[in-house]
Amino acid sequence: MLQKKLIFLHGWVGKYIINKNENIYDFYKGLIEELKKFFDVEFIILPGFSNNPEPDKPYTLDDYVEYLKKFLEEKGIDQFYLMGHSFGGQVACKFAYLYPERVEKLILYNAACVRKKNFKRLVFKKISKLFKNISNIFIKKIIYKILTGTTTPAYYSEVMKKTMSNVIEEDLTEILPQVKVNSLIIWGRKDKLTPMWQGKLIHRLIKNSQLIIHPAGDHNFHKKDPMFIVNHII
C-alpha cells in the first residue's frame, strides 16, 4: 500500500546552528525512524541549521514558510501531512493557515505558536540591538542565559541572532481560529519551554483539532518515548 507523505519540520535546536557539521536529523532519529514504518517521511533541514547554509539576510517566519513552499514545489509534493516540533510547529501552523489546500493533516508537537510579549522578551529585543557593541563573550552568555534560558545564542552569527529575534516576535494566536486543517496537537504536560496552557489554548482556538497530552512529557519527550507520538498519529 502506498504510504502517505509526511513532512517533518524540526525545532530551533541551537547547537545545530553553531555546529554546522552535526546533523539535526540525529536529534529526531528515533522518532523519524519509527514514523518511516508507516509514512513516507521527508525531514526538512531549514536554512541556518546543520549543512543548510544560513540565509543572506535575517529570515522572518514568513521567509521560512516560503522556503518550505518552494522546497515542496521543487520536489513536486502536493498533498501531505505536515508535522512540526516547537519552532517547526510554528512554521507548519503558519503554512497550514496560508495554504490549507496543500495540507491534509496538521500535527503540532509542543508547537511554539504562542509568543505572547512579556518583560523578558521586551528586554531581549532592546539588548539585542546592543550586542554588536559587546565583545566579551562571557557577558553575552550571561545575558542570553537570563533572557532565553540558554547560552547558545551568544555564539550565533548576527544573521541568526536577528532571525531568532524575528521568529520569537511573531505570535500566531490571532490566526489560529482561521486554521481550518484537521489538526492533532501533541503536548508534554511538563514542558517548560512551551507550557501546557499554550497547547490547551491552541486546541481551543483551532476548532477542528484534538489534543493529546503526555503526562510526563517535557519539551523533547520524543527522545524518550517516540512511540507515544507515533501511535497517536497512526
Side-chain angles (χ1 to χ4, degrees), residues 158-198:
E158 292 304 319
V159 165
M160 292 309 292
K161 285 176 185 175
K162 180 57 178 173
T163 296
M164 182 178 73
S165 181
N166 290 340
V167 167
I168 65 176
E169 276 295 300
E170 183 157 356
D171 177 72
L172 300 184
T173 304
E174 290 188 3
I175 72 168
L176 291 175
Q178 301 172 61
V179 175
K180 306 303 181 186
V181 178
N182 191 316
S183 303
L184 176 63
I185 302 163
I186 302 174
W187 224 269
R189 187 178 296 279
K190 296 185 178 180
D191 186 349
K192 294 181 180 179
L193 293 179
T194 50
M196 187 69 248
W197 67 265
Q198 295 185 9

Side-chain angles (χ1 to χ4, degrees), residues 126-143:
K126 295 289 186 183
I127 291 181
S128 292
K129 297 178 180 179
L130 303 176
F131 277 160
K132 290 183 180 180
N133 300 320
I134 300 176
S135 59
N136 189 308
I137 189 66
F138 181 71
I139 295 175
K140 286 185 177 181
K141 287 168 66 176
I142 292 175
I143 294 172

Side-chain angles (χ1 to χ4, degrees), residues 4 19 39 48 50 55 70 79 86 103 107 110 127 134 154 222:
K4 178 63 64 177
N19 303 314
F39 302 95
S50 294
K70 183 178 179 181
Q79 296 289 312
S86 193
V103 183
I107 304 163
N110 288 343
I127 291 181
I134 300 176
H222 66 273

Side-chain angles (χ1 to χ4, degrees), residues 199-214:
K200 292 179 178 179
L201 176 63
I202 294 169
H203 171 50
R204 180 168 61 83
L205 294 177
I206 299 180
K207 300 304 180 185
N208 192 19
S209 68
Q210 180 183 7
L211 175 63
I212 303 295
I213 301 172
H214 190 298

Side-chain angles (χ1 to χ4, degrees), residues 16-225:
Y16 297 101
I17 294 175
I18 300 168
N19 303 314
K20 303 298 185 183
N21 60 331
E22 293 191 31
N23 193 343
I24 195 169
Y25 179 91
D26 295 336
F27 191 78
Y28 296 94
K29 184 176 181 179
L31 173 60
I32 300 301
E33 294 303 315
E34 292 297 336
L35 284 170
K36 283 182 176 180
K37 296 176 182 178
F38 305 95
F39 302 95
D40 177 12
V41 180
E42 186 84 38
F43 183 89
I44 299 177
I45 299 178
L46 297 168
F49 295 84
S50 294
N51 63 353
N52 195 343
E54 295 180 0
D56 294 331
K57 63 178 181 62
Y59 262 23
T60 63
L61 182 61
D62 284 340
D63 288 323
Y64 278 111
V65 170
E66 290 308 303
Y67 175 87
L68 173 60
K69 180 173 178 284
K70 183 178 179 181
F71 177 95
L72 296 170
E73 288 172 349
E74 290 177 349
K75 291 275 190 176
I77 302 172
D78 186 39
Q79 296 289 312
F80 49 87
Y81 292 176
L82 181 57
M83 179 176 182
H85 170 233
S86 193
F87 158 65
Q90 184 186 20
V91 177
C93 189
K94 187 72 178 282
F95 185 97
Y97 162 71
L98 291 172
Y99 308 107
E101 71 283 356
R102 305 285 301 278
V103 183
E104 291 188 45
K105 305 283 184 183
L106 176 63
I107 304 163
L108 301 175
Y109 161 39
N110 288 343
C113 298
V114 182
R115 304 280 197 175
K116 294 294 186 182
K117 293 186 183 299
N118 56 37
F119 178 73
K120 277 189 177 182
R121 187 157 297 151
L122 291 172
V123 173
F124 172 75
K125 186 176 180 181
K126 295 289 186 183
I127 291 181
S128 292
K129 297 178 180 179
L130 303 176
F131 277 160
K132 290 183 180 180
N133 300 320
I134 300 176
S135 59
N136 189 308
I137 189 66
F138 181 71
I139 295 175
K140 286 185 177 181
K141 287 168 66 176
I142 292 175
I143 294 172
Y144 273 116
K145 181 66 174 179
I146 294 171
L147 297 177
T148 69
T150 178
T151 61
T152 53
Y155 299 98
Y156 292 174
S157 68
E158 292 304 319
V159 165
M160 292 309 292
K161 285 176 185 175
K162 180 57 178 173
T163 296
M164 182 178 73
S165 181
N166 290 340
V167 167
I168 65 176
E169 276 295 300
E170 183 157 356
D171 177 72
L172 300 184
T173 304
E174 290 188 3
I175 72 168
L176 291 175
Q178 301 172 61
V179 175
K180 306 303 181 186
V181 178
N182 191 316
S183 303
L184 176 63
I185 302 163
I186 302 174
W187 224 269
R189 187 178 296 279
K190 296 185 178 180
D191 186 349
K192 294 181 180 179
L193 293 179
T194 50
M196 187 69 248
W197 67 265
Q198 295 185 9
K200 292 179 178 179
L201 176 63
I202 294 169
H203 171 50
R204 180 168 61 83
L205 294 177
I206 299 180
K207 300 304 180 185
N208 192 19
S209 68
Q210 180 183 7
L211 175 63
I212 303 295
I213 301 172
H214 190 298
D218 59 10
H219 191 64
N220 302 313
F221 72 82
H222 66 273
K223 297 175 76 68
K224 294 181 179 179
D225 194 2

